[in-house]
Each structure stands twice: as C-alpha cells, then as structure tokens.
C-alpha cells in the first residue's frame, strides 16, 4: 500500500509567528482530539504523511518549533548549484542543514511565472536527490494544451526530461510526483476526480514504461489544484491518487485538518 501524503504549499504566505501558531494548533489536534489521534496513528503506522511547505524565511521556525516528528517540512524551491554567485538563491545543502525532508520542484508558478525550463528542473531534481532531500516533482498541462488534446504529450515531456537519468530504485523510493493541471491551480476549478485519476494513471503508465512494474506500483502521485475539504475525499478515493498538494486551503488549520481527516 502506498503511503498517503497530504502536503500544504503555503507559497508566499506565512510569517514566523503564523508558522509557530499553525504548527502548535496542528500538533495539539494530532495529540488530543479523536480524529487527530487517528491521524497520528496513521502517521506512526506509515500509512500517511502530513507535510507543510512554508516560505524560506519560516523554514527554520517550522522545523524547530515542532515538538513531535509528526509533521514533515518541505521547501518550495531551491537552486541546483551547491554554492556560488547566485544572488537571491538558496541551495539544497542549505535546506539539508535546516533538516527539510522534502522540496517542491517544478511547481507551475516556477515554470510559468519564473520561466523554469524542463532542463533546469532536471538539474534541480538531481541536486535534491544528491542532498537526500526528497523531491515532490510537479507536472501539469495548461488549459490550451488540454483542450488541444496535448495533455499526455506535455506530461510525457515534463517527466521524461526530469527522470531520464534516474534509476528505478531512486524513483520508487525517493521521488513523489504531483499532477497539477495549471488551469486548476488557485482558480477554484478542480479537475473532476475521474480526470485527475486518469492523468495520474497515465503518469503511472509512464513510470511503468520507463522503470517497470515495481516502480510504477510504488511511486506516489499526488493531485493538486483547488483542493478543498469538500472535494478531497472524492479525489483521495481514486485508485491512482495517493495524496494531495494543497495551496489556498492549507493556510487555515481548520480546512487543512478536514482535508487530512479525509485521507483516513
Ligand atoms: C498549489 O499551490 O500547488 C495549489 C494546488 O494551489 P491551490 O490549492 O490553491 O489551487
């Protein structure tokens, strides 16, 4: 059974104060309320992971304000070079020092607002793995690409460019893929659970073609795009969706908790 992942991407939101309070409220729930305790048991039994990705400035606060190890911390990005004259960038060894477990790579906002290419994202993926920070690698098509029947082509290009040099063991054990159709991110338009599952199934078939059955059975594939407490259970009930990457609805403990509960 693949371990479910519920991951909150805070984007450019969240001060240190906000982060401390969020973690404290979430940990209190995990330790004291009935559903929180069930989630804690699922985490301990390795059936579920709960991840939050605050901005860089709050990462140390997130990592060190946790009292238990139940919440994992992810960075939202990093640069592939280890050090050097790259003003404004953060390297993977810097994230390693902060004890970040995961890093989001290739989020559509990085691809489309900051112009990150498949080539750069391949380098970032490799650099993350070299630093033993587990990548949550995002892929997804634009609305125009879906409407012109090119969704599969786009996903295949994004993935083949990213993982061509990786081994099946590394992909199976260390890489998480997030399918995030660009037209569903922050727009309130969620892909139907059937469409999301079909796209995740297609991604799994790409993993099968490249790495074989063991990897395609074990790789975790998340869905992201306007996930809310009202649609999370339906999405998570689908065979190929192993978790959710959540933007807006991860910024309030109350809605994030409801989404986590729906993974039980
Ligand atoms: C995201 O940021 O990855 C995301 C899916 O955002 P939202 O849930 O707000 O659509």
């Amino acid at each position: 059974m693949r371990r479910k992942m519920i991951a909150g991407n805070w984007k450019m939101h969240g001060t240190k104060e906000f982060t401390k309070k969020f973690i404290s409220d979430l940990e209190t729930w995990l330790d004291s309320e009935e559903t929180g305790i069930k989630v804690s048991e699922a985490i301990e039994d390795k059936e579920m992971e709960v991840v939050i990705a605050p901005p860089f400035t709050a990462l140390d606060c997130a990592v060190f304000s946790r009292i238990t190890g139940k919440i994992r911390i992810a960075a939202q990005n990093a640069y592939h070079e280890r050090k050097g004259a790259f003003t404004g960038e953060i390297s993977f060894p810097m994230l390693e020092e902060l004890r970040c477990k995961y890093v989001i790579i290739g989020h559509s906002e990085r691809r489309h607002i900051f112009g990150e290419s498949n080539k750069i994202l391949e380098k970032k993926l490799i650099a993350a793995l070299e630093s033993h920070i587990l990548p949550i690698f995002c892929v997804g098509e634009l609305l125009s690409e879906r409407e012109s029947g090119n969704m599969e082509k786009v996903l295949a290009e994004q993935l083949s460019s990213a993982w061509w040099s990786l081994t099946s063991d590394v992909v199976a054990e260390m890489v998480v893929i997030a399918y995030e159709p660009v037209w569903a991110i922050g727009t309130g338009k969620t892909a139907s659970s059937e469409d999301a599952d079909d796209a995740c199934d297609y991604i799994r078939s790409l993993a099968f073609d490249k790495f074989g059955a063991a990897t395609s059975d074990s790789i975790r594939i998340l869905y992201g795009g306007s996930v809310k407490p009202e649609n999370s259970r339906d999405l998570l009930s689908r065979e190929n969706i192993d978790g959710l990457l959540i933007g807006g609805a991860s910024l309030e403990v109350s809605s994030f908790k409801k989404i986590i509960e729906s993974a039980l």
Side-chain angles (χ1 to χ4, degrees):
M1 201 181 86
R2 295 184 292 266
R3 196 191 308 194
K4 292 252 184 318
M5 177 184 282
I6 304 297
N9 171 19
W10 290 2
K11 313 192 190 201
M12 202 170 68
H13 299 282
T15 58
K16 285 185 182 231
E17 214 44 52
F18 173 92
T19 305
K20 243 187 249 170
K21 169 117 180 49
F22 189 101
I23 289 191
S24 155
D25 290 352
L26 199 57
E27 283 193 327
T28 304
W29 172 68
L30 287 169
D31 285 340
S32 57
E33 287 179 37
E34 200 184 325
T35 45
I37 289 168
K38 279 195 193 145
V39 169
S40 293
E41 284 165 3
I43 292 172
E44 272 151 29
D45 294 343
K46 299 196 184 324
E47 288 164 9
M48 197 197 299
E49 273 185 306
V50 173
V51 180
I52 56 170
F56 287 129
T57 48
L59 278 176
D60 64 335
C61 170
V63 169
F64 296 110
S65 60
R66 293 170 309 163
I67 293 168
T68 65
K70 289 175 193 162
I71 305 167
R72 310 271 204 206
I73 307 300
Q76 298 175 18
N77 180 33
Y79 194 58
H80 57 275
E81 296 288 351
R82 293 181 71 78
K83 60 181 177 177
F86 303 104
T87 302
E89 293 297 326
I90 301 285
S91 71
F92 288 101
M94 291 170 185
L95 299 181
E96 207 180 341
E97 187 184 32
L98 282 179
R99 298 198 231 146
C100 284
K101 169 102 179 162
Y102 289 100
V103 61
I104 299 171
I105 295 179
H107 189 278
S108 72
E109 286 147 20
R110 300 298 320 170
R111 289 178 186 267
H112 297 289
I113 301 176
F114 298 100
E116 293 190 1
S117 63
N118 283 340
K119 190 78 211 144
I120 285 284
L121 295 173
E122 178 207 342
K123 289 185 183 170
K124 290 190 175 198
L125 184 63
I126 292 170
L129 292 166
E130 281 170 1
S131 287
H132 303 283
I133 299 173
L134 309 183
I136 300 173
F137 189 81
C138 302
V139 293
E141 80 288 357
L142 297 166
L143 186 57
S144 55
E145 291 165 337
R146 171 169 278 257
E147 287 177 346
S148 58
N150 284 321
M151 178 195 83
E152 293 191 350
K153 181 168 169 274
V154 171
L155 297 180
E157 274 168 11
Q158 291 174 342
L159 281 167
S160 61
S161 143
W163 66 21
W164 72 271
S165 67
L166 305 183
T167 63
S168 54
D169 288 353
V170 165
V171 172
E173 285 160 30
M174 298 178 77
V175 178
V176 177
I177 303 292
Y179 168 63
E180 298 209 304
V182 181
W183 47 272
I185 297 179
T187 58
K189 287 185 199 156
T190 324
S192 71
S193 58
E194 290 88 344
D195 285 349
D197 188 55
D198 283 350
C200 294
D201 185 32
Y202 177 65
I203 291 169
R204 213 173 283 292
S205 76
L206 294 172
F208 179 89
D209 293 345
K210 168 107 180 95
F211 301 108
T215 302
S216 79
D217 283 349
S218 54
I219 191 168
R220 288 185 290 170
I221 306 176
L222 317 182
Y223 167 78
S226 297
V227 173
K228 300 179 256 339
E230 296 75 36
N231 58 22
S232 57
R233 193 174 292 280
D234 182 28
L235 287 159
L236 286 166
S237 70
R238 298 285 163 169
E239 190 183 339
N240 290 290
I241 301 178
D242 303 314
L244 301 168
L245 182 55
I246 308 134
S250 71
L251 285 167
E252 278 184 15
V253 178
S254 58
S255 53
F256 194 50
K257 274 186 338 196
K258 287 188 191 137
I259 295 172
I260 296 170
E261 268 173 43
S262 67
L264 279 174

